[in-house]
Amino acid sequence: MPTALVTGITGQDGSYLAELLLEQGYKVIGMVRRTSTINFDRIRHIQEQVEIVQGDLLDQMSLISILQEYRPSEVYNLAAQSFVPTSFTQPVLTGEFTALGVTRVLDAIRIVDPAIRFYQASSSEMFGKVQEVPQRESTPFYPRSPYGVAKLYGHWITVNYRESYDIYACSGILFNHESPRRGLEFVTHKITNAVARIKLGLESELRLGNLEARRDWGYAPDYVRAMWLMLQQDAPDDYVVATGETHSVQEFVEEAFGYVDMDWREFVVQDPKFYRPAEVDLLVGDPSKAGKHLGWEPSVSFRELVRLMVQADLEAWERRLKQAAALTA
Ligand code: NAP
Ligand code: F7E
């Protein structure tokens, strides 16, 4: 039974990746940082099947000890400060987690066992002010946030450890991917959650920032499959993972409100509070290398993605309302 270590297992991608690895017959070790309250919501259903271990990207010794104890053959580094606006207000912390954290994991691998295969969760945010459309592996980078800059460091240190120490290290340049497990502050889930609440009469408006920004949005379970495939090849490489389609935030809003037969213009308020100091205006990836080498392709369209997220939020809020009614009955 192969063993895989997943950092960031409590996050959106970590939870889907852990499910996939369990299906593939892996022993899954999930690294979590110590918190005063346990936040295992996304992995509660598989908690008995994974082994949870405490460690932190800020603490080099914890990473070395985990590798020494569990001897994984694959490490997926998904942990990061991943919210772009927070990277503007906490740029140094973002650099510690999202940039230097990658070096700490790679150095732990170099010290304990350089044969471990490594996946780094890189991001389309590295393309930022895009230099080419669509963006592919060879497109020059131009990050527009401390998060994008930190991810670019993580990307290059991954390439550097591959070239310097012959480590099987891959950088997956993943475009936005979403699901009902997406954090509520990200725009897609913020929209679908608000649509469900407005439809059920729990809310009356949705405040958003820039509606013109365009993103290449895919479905998270498809994207974790690409991560796993990258570590199963003969040689390590870097891949863009994307749908190849781009849509504006406004299109997402229209589709989400349209699904519940409501007119978005009656509810959406633009609020300068949600604008960023520097914006990424347009992202659209070219996933042809991943298609050719990994046999990867997305399975969920933009429309299906919006609808499945709204539907999941409607069901979740209806469930909560029923529970609250049962308690007061
Ligand atoms: P997420 O939901 O924000 O999850 C981030 C995870 O990192 C959480 O489990 C979090 O733990 C953990 N973490 C944060 N700081 C840590 C630290 N110092 N030590 C240990 N763990 C720490 O992110 P996601 O959407 O699943 O994304 C996974 C990765 O892919 C991230 O690196 C993200 O930057 C990158 N990425 C995401 C996308 C996307 O569209 N989703 C696209 C490209 C790249 P807590 O639960 O304790 O907070
Ligand atoms: O913003 C605009 C905002 O926060 C998308 C992370 O997973 O994907 C994610 O980063 C767009 C931006 O994601 C609101 O200005 C408008 O243009 O959902 P987001 P992101 O910044 O693209 C990449 C690939 C990652 O790697 C990151 O970790 O939506 N927008 N109004 C808004 N965004 C938010 N959050 N909230 C708003 O009210």
Side-chain angles (χ1 to χ4, degrees), residues 226-273:
M227 297 175 187
W228 177 74
L229 284 168
M230 282 180 219
L231 296 201
Q232 314 311 314
Q233 306 305 306
D234 290 338
D237 208 341
D238 308 322
Y239 297 91
V240 159
V241 181
T243 69
E245 260 187 48
T246 187
H247 296 273
S248 67
V249 173
Q250 184 170 317
E251 284 171 58
F252 196 106
V253 167
E254 285 170 7
E255 187 64 43
F257 277 96
Y259 180 61
V260 295
D261 296 321
M262 294 179 110
D263 182 356
W264 68 279
R265 286 179 197 83
E266 292 172 27
F267 305 100
V268 172
V269 178
Q270 270 190 282
D271 186 338
K273 191 171 93 184

Side-chain angles (χ1 to χ4, degrees), residues 137-159:
E137 292 78 6
S138 55
T139 303
F141 299 115
Y142 194 142
R144 292 273 279 173
S145 64
Y147 170 80
V149 174
K151 280 289 177 188
L152 190 49
Y153 174 94
H155 168 78
W156 281 119
I157 202 71
T158 300
V159 173

